Amino acid sequence: MKQLVTPAIILSRTDYGEADRILTMLTPEYGKLHLLAKGVRRIKSKLAGGIELFSTSTITFIQGRSGLGTLISTRLDKNYGHIVQDLDRTMLGYELLKQLHKITEDQAEAEYYTLLQEAFEALDDADVPLALIRFWFQAQLLRLGGHSPNLHTDLQGRKLEADQRYDFSFEDMCFEPRERGRFTASHIKFLRLSFAGTSAKLLAQVQGSDALVETLAPQVAAMTQSHLA
């Protein structure tokens, strides 16, 4: 059978038999792959070094007729080693992998692969706050899933104004003007950046990002729960 080559990221792995593993891997071209890695748990396995968690690799595989393919060879391209040196970053990394795995179909678009790469870059950088990474990642999942909020007009279709205060309507996924609303133009501008595909590392450079994330994170988490759970 034809051997195929692709970049890949491990989403999950399950021990199988005495020395094998079944891997679910995300790729930019083939979506999610379910592959049998034969003998990978043996000490001298040539496959093991190229399929580390929180890494990007180039793999060679054969597609299976029943949906389970076979991993032939691996080459480690980049390991984000600082992630596993911090327990909180490691746990968030697992959370992001699990969340993306849950909401994506086997035919996942290439943008999800790019999203994971950018998430690893952010987690690997101690200067990028964890709260911002979680907030940013949820915003990207909503965007890729077609659930971005309306960040340009209010409930009545009027352009959002810089001197107005707003509350957010989850039912309509847009802002509505309120005299004592929780959200200002600064919050809305930050949301626009977040949902525009800006990387987490760039988002962290926005002045006052910590306070903005603290206010906006519950809103984005609620959107995620409503539309992606």
Side-chain angles (χ1 to χ4, degrees), residues 74-106:
T74 64
R75 184 187 75 236
L76 184 66
D77 293 328
K78 184 169 183 179
N79 176 245
Y80 298 88
H82 293 137
I83 297 176
V84 296
Q85 294 174 6
D86 183 289
L87 180 59
D88 291 334
R89 289 183 177 269
T90 301
M91 296 308 296
L92 180 56
Y94 282 124
E95 178 186 324
L96 302 188
L97 287 174
K98 184 177 179 180
Q99 190 173 27
L100 188 144
H101 189 7
K102 179 181 178 181
I103 71 163
T104 52
E105 304 291 338
D106 282 353

PDB file of all heavy atoms in Angstrom, residues 74-106:
ATOM      1  N   THR A  74       8.896   8.029  11.974  1.00  0.00           N
ATOM      2  CA  THR A  74       8.663   9.344  12.563  1.00  0.00           C
ATOM      3  C   THR A  74       9.960  10.141  12.603  1.00  0.00           C
ATOM      4  O   THR A  74      11.055   9.568  12.694  1.00  0.00           O
ATOM      5  CB  THR A  74       8.134   9.226  14.007  1.00  0.00           C
ATOM      6  OG1 THR A  74       9.136   8.611  14.832  1.00  0.00           O
ATOM      7  CG2 THR A  74       6.864   8.406  14.056  1.00  0.00           C
ATOM      8  N   ARG A  75       9.822  11.449  12.517  1.00  0.00           N
ATOM      9  CA  ARG A  75      10.967  12.341  12.706  1.00  0.00           C
ATOM     10  C   ARG A  75      10.511  13.541  13.521  1.00  0.00           C
ATOM     11  O   ARG A  75       9.581  14.246  13.134  1.00  0.00           O
ATOM     12  CB  ARG A  75      11.522  12.823  11.364  1.00  0.00           C
ATOM     13  CG  ARG A  75      12.794  13.697  11.526  1.00  0.00           C
ATOM     14  CD  ARG A  75      13.253  14.305  10.221  1.00  0.00           C
ATOM     15  NE  ARG A  75      12.389  15.416   9.811  1.00  0.00           N
ATOM     16  CZ  ARG A  75      11.778  15.483   8.662  1.00  0.00           C
ATOM     17  NH1 ARG A  75      11.879  14.495   7.781  1.00  0.00           N
ATOM     18  NH2 ARG A  75      11.010  16.532   8.359  1.00  0.00           N
ATOM     19  N   LEU A  76      11.128  13.769  14.656  1.00  0.00           N
ATOM     20  CA  LEU A  76      10.765  14.896  15.507  1.00  0.00           C
ATOM     21  C   LEU A  76      11.222  16.195  14.849  1.00  0.00           C
ATOM     22  O   LEU A  76      12.398  16.350  14.525  1.00  0.00           O
ATOM     23  CB  LEU A  76      11.415  14.745  16.883  1.00  0.00           C
ATOM     24  CG  LEU A  76      11.047  15.802  17.928  1.00  0.00           C
ATOM     25  CD1 LEU A  76       9.582  15.701  18.300  1.00  0.00           C
ATOM     26  CD2 LEU A  76      11.927  15.651  19.159  1.00  0.00           C
ATOM     27  N   ASP A  77      10.302  17.128  14.645  1.00  0.00           N
ATOM     28  CA  ASP A  77      10.647  18.417  14.058  1.00  0.00           C
ATOM     29  C   ASP A  77      10.898  19.473  15.129  1.00  0.00           C
ATOM     30  O   ASP A  77      11.885  20.192  15.074  1.00  0.00           O
ATOM     31  CB  ASP A  77       9.529  18.890  13.118  1.00  0.00           C
ATOM     32  CG  ASP A  77       9.401  17.990  11.891  1.00  0.00           C
ATOM     33  OD1 ASP A  77      10.428  17.449  11.438  1.00  0.00           O
ATOM     34  OD2 ASP A  77       8.268  17.811  11.408  1.00  0.00           O
ATOM     35  N   LYS A  78       9.984  19.580  16.106  1.00  0.00           N
ATOM     36  CA  LYS A  78      10.183  20.542  17.186  1.00  0.00           C
ATOM     37  C   LYS A  78       9.491  20.057  18.442  1.00  0.00           C
ATOM     38  O   LYS A  78       8.331  19.673  18.408  1.00  0.00           O
ATOM     39  CB  LYS A  78       9.638  21.923  16.799  1.00  0.00           C
ATOM     40  CG  LYS A  78       9.907  22.982  17.867  1.00  0.00           C
ATOM     41  CD  LYS A  78       9.602  24.385  17.380  1.00  0.00           C
ATOM     42  CE  LYS A  78       9.963  25.419  18.443  1.00  0.00           C
ATOM     43  NZ  LYS A  78       9.706  26.811  17.980  1.00  0.00           N
ATOM     44  N   ASN A  79      10.236  20.077  19.522  1.00  0.00           N
ATOM     45  CA  ASN A  79       9.689  19.728  20.832  1.00  0.00           C
ATOM     46  C   ASN A  79       9.615  20.984  21.692  1.00  0.00           C
ATOM     47  O   ASN A  79      10.609  21.692  21.852  1.00  0.00           O
ATOM     48  CB  ASN A  79      10.559  18.676  21.522  1.00  0.00           C
ATOM     49  CG  ASN A  79      10.084  18.368  22.928  1.00  0.00           C
ATOM     50  OD1 ASN A  79      10.781  18.646  23.902  1.00  0.00           O
ATOM     51  ND2 ASN A  79       8.907  17.795  23.052  1.00  0.00           N
ATOM     52  N   TYR A  80       8.428  21.251  22.227  1.00  0.00           N
ATOM     53  CA  TYR A  80       8.234  22.431  23.076  1.00  0.00           C
ATOM     54  C   TYR A  80       8.505  22.016  24.524  1.00  0.00           C
ATOM     55  O   TYR A  80       7.586  21.846  25.332  1.00  0.00           O
ATOM     56  CB  TYR A  80       6.821  22.986  22.869  1.00  0.00           C
ATOM     57  CG  TYR A  80       6.582  23.447  21.453  1.00  0.00           C
ATOM     58  CD1 TYR A  80       6.121  22.557  20.475  1.00  0.00           C
ATOM     59  CD2 TYR A  80       6.851  24.756  21.067  1.00  0.00           C
ATOM     60  CE1 TYR A  80       5.924  22.979  19.158  1.00  0.00           C
ATOM     61  CE2 TYR A  80       6.655  25.183  19.751  1.00  0.00           C
ATOM     62  CZ  TYR A  80       6.191  24.283  18.806  1.00  0.00           C
ATOM     63  OH  TYR A  80       6.003  24.699  17.507  1.00  0.00           O
ATOM     64  N   GLY A  81       9.766  21.861  24.815  1.00  0.00           N
ATOM     65  CA  GLY A  81      10.203  21.235  26.057  1.00  0.00           C
ATOM     66  C   GLY A  81       9.922  22.015  27.321  1.00  0.00           C
ATOM     67  O   GLY A  81       9.855  21.430  28.410  1.00  0.00           O
ATOM     68  N   HIS A  82       9.757  23.343  27.215  1.00  0.00           N
ATOM     69  CA  HIS A  82       9.500  24.128  28.424  1.00  0.00           C
ATOM     70  C   HIS A  82       8.113  23.869  29.002  1.00  0.00           C
ATOM     71  O   HIS A  82       7.881  24.123  30.181  1.00  0.00           O
ATOM     72  CB  HIS A  82       9.660  25.628  28.120  1.00  0.00           C
ATOM     73  CG  HIS A  82      11.055  26.032  27.799  1.00  0.00           C
ATOM     74  ND1 HIS A  82      11.376  26.892  26.774  1.00  0.00           N
ATOM     75  CD2 HIS A  82      12.239  25.667  28.356  1.00  0.00           C
ATOM     76  CE1 HIS A  82      12.672  27.053  26.721  1.00  0.00           C
ATOM     77  NE2 HIS A  82      13.221  26.316  27.673  1.00  0.00           N
ATOM     78  N   ILE A  83       7.202  23.363  28.184  1.00  0.00           N
ATOM     79  CA  ILE A  83       5.832  23.120  28.667  1.00  0.00           C
ATOM     80  C   ILE A  83       5.841  22.124  29.809  1.00  0.00           C
ATOM     81  O   ILE A  83       5.225  22.345  30.861  1.00  0.00           O
ATOM     82  CB  ILE A  83       4.929  22.617  27.520  1.00  0.00           C
ATOM     83  CG1 ILE A  83       4.801  23.684  26.428  1.00  0.00           C
ATOM     84  CG2 ILE A  83       3.541  22.240  28.056  1.00  0.00           C
ATOM     85  CD1 ILE A  83       4.010  23.226  25.214  1.00  0.00           C
ATOM     86  N   VAL A  84       6.536  21.006  29.636  1.00  0.00           N
ATOM     87  CA  VAL A  84       6.508  19.940  30.644  1.00  0.00           C
ATOM     88  C   VAL A  84       7.360  20.259  31.861  1.00  0.00           C
ATOM     89  O   VAL A  84       7.358  19.501  32.836  1.00  0.00           O
ATOM     90  CB  VAL A  84       6.954  18.596  30.026  1.00  0.00           C
ATOM     91  CG1 VAL A  84       5.976  18.156  28.953  1.00  0.00           C
ATOM     92  CG2 VAL A  84       8.364  18.681  29.463  1.00  0.00           C
ATOM     93  N   GLN A  85       8.068  21.383  31.828  1.00  0.00           N
ATOM     94  CA  GLN A  85       8.846  21.788  33.000  1.00  0.00           C
ATOM     95  C   GLN A  85       7.994  22.560  34.007  1.00  0.00           C
ATOM     96  O   GLN A  85       8.460  22.873  35.103  1.00  0.00           O
ATOM     97  CB  GLN A  85      10.039  22.641  32.558  1.00  0.00           C
ATOM     98  CG  GLN A  85      11.058  21.879  31.725  1.00  0.00           C
ATOM     99  CD  GLN A  85      12.166  22.764  31.182  1.00  0.00           C
ATOM    100  OE1 GLN A  85      12.259  23.945  31.512  1.00  0.00           O
ATOM    101  NE2 GLN A  85      13.013  22.196  30.341  1.00  0.00           N
ATOM    102  N   ASP A  86       6.766  22.875  33.623  1.00  0.00           N
ATOM    103  CA  ASP A  86       5.854  23.617  34.488  1.00  0.00           C
ATOM    104  C   ASP A  86       4.537  22.846  34.559  1.00  0.00           C
ATOM    105  O   ASP A  86       3.887  22.635  33.536  1.00  0.00           O
ATOM    106  CB  ASP A  86       5.634  25.022  33.921  1.00  0.00           C
ATOM    107  CG  ASP A  86       4.737  25.885  34.805  1.00  0.00           C
ATOM    108  OD1 ASP A  86       3.514  25.598  34.844  1.00  0.00           O
ATOM    109  OD2 ASP A  86       5.235  26.826  35.439  1.00  0.00           O
ATOM    110  N   LEU A  87       4.146  22.428  35.764  1.00  0.00           N
ATOM    111  CA  LEU A  87       2.957  21.587  35.916  1.00  0.00           C
ATOM    112  C   LEU A  87       1.700  22.283  35.404  1.00  0.00           C
ATOM    113  O   LEU A  87       0.871  21.663  34.725  1.00  0.00           O
ATOM    114  CB  LEU A  87       2.773  21.188  37.382  1.00  0.00           C
ATOM    115  CG  LEU A  87       1.553  20.309  37.683  1.00  0.00           C
ATOM    116  CD1 LEU A  87       1.612  19.005  36.900  1.00  0.00           C
ATOM    117  CD2 LEU A  87       1.464  20.026  39.184  1.00  0.00           C
ATOM    118  N   ASP A  88       1.529  23.562  35.722  1.00  0.00           N
ATOM    119  CA  ASP A  88       0.321  24.280  35.301  1.00  0.00           C
ATOM    120  C   ASP A  88       0.250  24.383  33.775  1.00  0.00           C
ATOM    121  O   ASP A  88      -0.826  24.244  33.183  1.00  0.00           O
ATOM    122  CB  ASP A  88       0.278  25.675  35.927  1.00  0.00           C
ATOM    123  CG  ASP A  88       0.052  25.626  37.435  1.00  0.00           C
ATOM    124  OD1 ASP A  88      -0.547  24.643  37.906  1.00  0.00           O
ATOM    125  OD2 ASP A  88       0.474  26.565  38.134  1.00  0.00           O
ATOM    126  N   ARG A  89       1.381  24.619  33.140  1.00  0.00           N
ATOM    127  CA  ARG A  89       1.400  24.703  31.680  1.00  0.00           C
ATOM    128  C   ARG A  89       1.159  23.330  31.050  1.00  0.00           C
ATOM    129  O   ARG A  89       0.480  23.221  30.016  1.00  0.00           O
ATOM    130  CB  ARG A  89       2.724  25.306  31.189  1.00  0.00           C
ATOM    131  CG  ARG A  89       2.812  26.778  31.496  1.00  0.00           C
ATOM    132  CD  ARG A  89       4.043  27.485  30.981  1.00  0.00           C
ATOM    133  NE  ARG A  89       3.879  28.899  31.316  1.00  0.00           N
ATOM    134  CZ  ARG A  89       3.325  29.789  30.520  1.00  0.00           C
ATOM    135  NH1 ARG A  89       2.929  29.450  29.313  1.00  0.00           N
ATOM    136  NH2 ARG A  89       3.169  31.053  30.896  1.00  0.00           N
ATOM    137  N   THR A  90       1.683  22.307  31.682  1.00  0.00           N
ATOM    138  CA  THR A  90       1.444  20.947  31.189  1.00  0.00           C
ATOM    139  C   THR A  90      -0.039  20.602  31.274  1.00  0.00           C
ATOM    140  O   THR A  90      -0.618  20.070  30.317  1.00  0.00           O
ATOM    141  CB  THR A  90       2.258  19.930  32.001  1.00  0.00           C
ATOM    142  OG1 THR A  90       3.650  20.239  31.901  1.00  0.00           O
ATOM    143  CG2 THR A  90       2.029  18.513  31.487  1.00  0.00           C
ATOM    144  N   MET A  91      -0.663  20.910  32.407  1.00  0.00           N
ATOM    145  CA  MET A  91      -2.075  20.584  32.582  1.00  0.00           C
ATOM    146  C   MET A  91      -2.950  21.365  31.606  1.00  0.00           C
ATOM    147  O   MET A  91      -3.920  20.830  31.065  1.00  0.00           O
ATOM    148  CB  MET A  91      -2.503  20.857  34.021  1.00  0.00           C
ATOM    149  CG  MET A  91      -1.803  19.976  35.057  1.00  0.00           C
ATOM    150  SD  MET A  91      -1.921  18.200  34.670  1.00  0.00           S
ATOM    151  CE  MET A  91      -3.691  17.947  34.800  1.00  0.00           C
ATOM    152  N   LEU A  92      -2.618  22.640  31.372  1.00  0.00           N
ATOM    153  CA  LEU A  92      -3.387  23.404  30.389  1.00  0.00           C
ATOM    154  C   LEU A  92      -3.170  22.832  28.990  1.00  0.00           C
ATOM    155  O   LEU A  92      -4.105  22.764  28.186  1.00  0.00           O
ATOM    156  CB  LEU A  92      -2.991  24.883  30.421  1.00  0.00           C
ATOM    157  CG  LEU A  92      -3.744  25.771  29.419  1.00  0.00           C
ATOM    158  CD1 LEU A  92      -5.253  25.673  29.605  1.00  0.00           C
ATOM    159  CD2 LEU A  92      -3.287  27.227  29.524  1.00  0.00           C
ATOM    160  N   GLY A  93      -1.948  22.388  28.705  1.00  0.00           N
ATOM    161  CA  GLY A  93      -1.686  21.759  27.418  1.00  0.00           C
ATOM    162  C   GLY A  93      -2.563  20.541  27.192  1.00  0.00           C
ATOM    163  O   GLY A  93      -3.156  20.374  26.113  1.00  0.00           O
ATOM    164  N   TYR A  94      -2.678  19.693  28.198  1.00  0.00           N
ATOM    165  CA  TYR A  94      -3.568  18.532  28.102  1.00  0.00           C
ATOM    166  C   TYR A  94      -5.018  18.966  27.894  1.00  0.00           C
ATOM    167  O   TYR A  94      -5.765  18.364  27.117  1.00  0.00           O
ATOM    168  CB  TYR A  94      -3.474  17.681  29.370  1.00  0.00           C
ATOM    169  CG  TYR A  94      -2.254  16.793  29.443  1.00  0.00           C
ATOM    170  CD1 TYR A  94      -1.373  16.868  30.519  1.00  0.00           C
ATOM    171  CD2 TYR A  94      -1.982  15.856  28.450  1.00  0.00           C
ATOM    172  CE1 TYR A  94      -0.254  16.058  30.595  1.00  0.00           C
ATOM    173  CE2 TYR A  94      -0.867  15.034  28.521  1.00  0.00           C
ATOM    174  CZ  TYR A  94      -0.005  15.143  29.593  1.00  0.00           C
ATOM    175  OH  TYR A  94       1.098  14.341  29.658  1.00  0.00           O
ATOM    176  N   GLU A  95      -5.415  20.021  28.600  1.00  0.00           N
ATOM    177  CA  GLU A  95      -6.794  20.523  28.487  1.00  0.00           C
ATOM    178  C   GLU A  95      -7.088  20.996  27.058  1.00  0.00           C
ATOM    179  O   GLU A  95      -8.152  20.698  26.501  1.00  0.00           O
ATOM    180  CB  GLU A  95      -6.983  21.677  29.474  1.00  0.00           C
ATOM    181  CG  GLU A  95      -8.362  22.326  29.423  1.00  0.00           C
ATOM    182  CD  GLU A  95      -8.453  23.546  30.321  1.00  0.00           C
ATOM    183  OE1 GLU A  95      -7.839  23.539  31.406  1.00  0.00           O
ATOM    184  OE2 GLU A  95      -9.129  24.520  29.930  1.00  0.00           O
ATOM    185  N   LEU A  96      -6.146  21.714  26.461  1.00  0.00           N
ATOM    186  CA  LEU A  96      -6.351  22.226  25.102  1.00  0.00           C
ATOM    187  C   LEU A  96      -6.400  21.092  24.082  1.00  0.00           C
ATOM    188  O   LEU A  96      -7.226  21.111  23.157  1.00  0.00           O
ATOM    189  CB  LEU A  96      -5.246  23.223  24.742  1.00  0.00           C
ATOM    190  CG  LEU A  96      -5.091  24.450  25.646  1.00  0.00           C
ATOM    191  CD1 LEU A  96      -4.087  25.424  25.049  1.00  0.00           C
ATOM    192  CD2 LEU A  96      -6.420  25.132  25.908  1.00  0.00           C
ATOM    193  N   LEU A  97      -5.524  20.104  24.241  1.00  0.00           N
ATOM    194  CA  LEU A  97      -5.543  18.948  23.341  1.00  0.00           C
ATOM    195  C   LEU A  97      -6.885  18.217  23.432  1.00  0.00           C
ATOM    196  O   LEU A  97      -7.485  17.867  22.410  1.00  0.00           O
ATOM    197  CB  LEU A  97      -4.412  17.987  23.703  1.00  0.00           C
ATOM    198  CG  LEU A  97      -2.992  18.409  23.337  1.00  0.00           C
ATOM    199  CD1 LEU A  97      -1.989  17.406  23.910  1.00  0.00           C
ATOM    200  CD2 LEU A  97      -2.812  18.513  21.824  1.00  0.00           C
ATOM    201  N   LYS A  98      -7.332  18.007  24.647  1.00  0.00           N
ATOM    202  CA  LYS A  98      -8.599  17.293  24.856  1.00  0.00           C
ATOM    203  C   LYS A  98      -9.764  18.077  24.275  1.00  0.00           C
ATOM    204  O   LYS A  98     -10.671  17.497  23.638  1.00  0.00           O
ATOM    205  CB  LYS A  98      -8.810  17.057  26.350  1.00  0.00           C
ATOM    206  CG  LYS A  98     -10.054  16.245  26.681  1.00  0.00           C
ATOM    207  CD  LYS A  98     -10.159  15.997  28.178  1.00  0.00           C
ATOM    208  CE  LYS A  98     -11.411  15.196  28.507  1.00  0.00           C
ATOM    209  NZ  LYS A  98     -11.509  14.953  29.980  1.00  0.00           N
ATOM    210  N   GLN A  99      -9.762  19.381  24.478  1.00  0.00           N
ATOM    211  CA  GLN A  99     -10.860  20.223  23.989  1.00  0.00           C
ATOM    212  C   GLN A  99     -10.917  20.209  22.465  1.00  0.00           C
ATOM    213  O   GLN A  99     -11.990  20.049  21.873  1.00  0.00           O
ATOM    214  CB  GLN A  99     -10.682  21.649  24.507  1.00  0.00           C
ATOM    215  CG  GLN A  99     -11.888  22.551  24.271  1.00  0.00           C
ATOM    216  CD  GLN A  99     -11.731  23.894  24.959  1.00  0.00           C
ATOM    217  OE1 GLN A  99     -10.617  24.375  25.195  1.00  0.00           O
ATOM    218  NE2 GLN A  99     -12.841  24.517  25.295  1.00  0.00           N
ATOM    219  N   LEU A 100      -9.759  20.373  21.821  1.00  0.00           N
ATOM    220  CA  LEU A 100      -9.749  20.372  20.361  1.00  0.00           C
ATOM    221  C   LEU A 100     -10.129  19.007  19.808  1.00  0.00           C
ATOM    222  O   LEU A 100     -10.880  18.904  18.832  1.00  0.00           O
ATOM    223  CB  LEU A 100      -8.364  20.794  19.851  1.00  0.00           C
ATOM    224  CG  LEU A 100      -8.261  21.015  18.350  1.00  0.00           C
ATOM    225  CD1 LEU A 100      -7.317  22.158  18.033  1.00  0.00           C
ATOM    226  CD2 LEU A 100      -7.789  19.761  17.619  1.00  0.00           C
ATOM    227  N   HIS A 101      -9.629  17.948  20.430  1.00  0.00           N
ATOM    228  CA  HIS A 101      -9.946  16.589  19.993  1.00  0.00           C
ATOM    229  C   HIS A 101     -11.454  16.343  20.048  1.00  0.00           C
ATOM    230  O   HIS A 101     -12.048  15.745  19.141  1.00  0.00           O
ATOM    231  CB  HIS A 101      -9.200  15.598  20.882  1.00  0.00           C
ATOM    232  CG  HIS A 101      -9.267  14.173  20.424  1.00  0.00           C
ATOM    233  ND1 HIS A 101      -9.827  13.777  19.222  1.00  0.00           N
ATOM    234  CD2 HIS A 101      -8.831  13.021  21.020  1.00  0.00           C
ATOM    235  CE1 HIS A 101      -9.727  12.477  19.087  1.00  0.00           C
ATOM    236  NE2 HIS A 101      -9.137  11.994  20.163  1.00  0.00           N
ATOM    237  N   LYS A 102     -12.079  16.853  21.101  1.00  0.00           N
ATOM    238  CA  LYS A 102     -13.502  16.609  21.317  1.00  0.00           C
ATOM    239  C   LYS A 102     -14.372  17.276  20.255  1.00  0.00           C
ATOM    240  O   LYS A 102     -15.365  16.692  19.787  1.00  0.00           O
ATOM    241  CB  LYS A 102     -13.909  17.100  22.705  1.00  0.00           C
ATOM    242  CG  LYS A 102     -15.388  16.924  23.018  1.00  0.00           C
ATOM    243  CD  LYS A 102     -15.718  17.468  24.404  1.00  0.00           C
ATOM    244  CE  LYS A 102     -17.215  17.335  24.701  1.00  0.00           C
ATOM    245  NZ  LYS A 102     -17.553  17.883  26.048  1.00  0.00           N
ATOM    246  N   ILE A 103     -14.020  18.488  19.848  1.00  0.00           N
ATOM    247  CA  ILE A 103     -14.921  19.251  18.985  1.00  0.00           C
ATOM    248  C   ILE A 103     -14.645  19.069  17.496  1.00  0.00           C
ATOM    249  O   ILE A 103     -15.447  19.514  16.670  1.00  0.00           O
ATOM    250  CB  ILE A 103     -14.880  20.754  19.317  1.00  0.00           C
ATOM    251  CG1 ILE A 103     -13.539  21.359  18.875  1.00  0.00           C
ATOM    252  CG2 ILE A 103     -15.152  21.008  20.779  1.00  0.00           C
ATOM    253  CD1 ILE A 103     -13.573  22.865  18.799  1.00  0.00           C
ATOM    254  N   THR A 104     -13.530  18.443  17.130  1.00  0.00           N
ATOM    255  CA  THR A 104     -13.193  18.313  15.711  1.00  0.00           C
ATOM    256  C   THR A 104     -13.578  16.948  15.172  1.00  0.00           C
ATOM    257  O   THR A 104     -13.478  15.937  15.862  1.00  0.00           O
ATOM    258  CB  THR A 104     -11.691  18.544  15.469  1.00  0.00           C
ATOM    259  OG1 THR A 104     -10.932  17.709  16.350  1.00  0.00           O
ATOM    260  CG2 THR A 104     -11.322  19.993  15.694  1.00  0.00           C
ATOM    261  N   GLU A 105     -14.004  16.939  13.927  1.00  0.00           N
ATOM    262  CA  GLU A 105     -14.280  15.697  13.219  1.00  0.00           C
ATOM    263  C   GLU A 105     -12.974  15.139  12.661  1.00  0.00           C
ATOM    264  O   GLU A 105     -11.935  15.803  12.686  1.00  0.00           O
ATOM    265  CB  GLU A 105     -15.271  15.950  12.073  1.00  0.00           C
ATOM    266  CG  GLU A 105     -16.587  16.591  12.505  1.00  0.00           C
ATOM    267  CD  GLU A 105     -17.441  15.640  13.332  1.00  0.00           C
ATOM    268  OE1 GLU A 105     -17.229  14.415  13.223  1.00  0.00           O
ATOM    269  OE2 GLU A 105     -18.316  16.126  14.076  1.00  0.00           O
ATOM    270  N   ASP A 106     -13.026  13.924  12.128  1.00  0.00           N
ATOM    271  CA  ASP A 106     -11.825  13.331  11.547  1.00  0.00           C
ATOM    272  C   ASP A 106     -11.313  14.140  10.360  1.00  0.00           C
ATOM    273  O   ASP A 106     -10.128  14.123  10.052  1.00  0.00           O
ATOM    274  CB  ASP A 106     -12.091  11.885  11.110  1.00  0.00           C
ATOM    275  CG  ASP A 106     -12.091  10.926  12.294  1.00  0.00           C
ATOM    276  OD1 ASP A 106     -11.767  11.362  13.412  1.00  0.00           O
ATOM    277  OD2 ASP A 106     -12.421   9.744  12.101  1.00  0.00           O
TER     278      ASP A 106
END
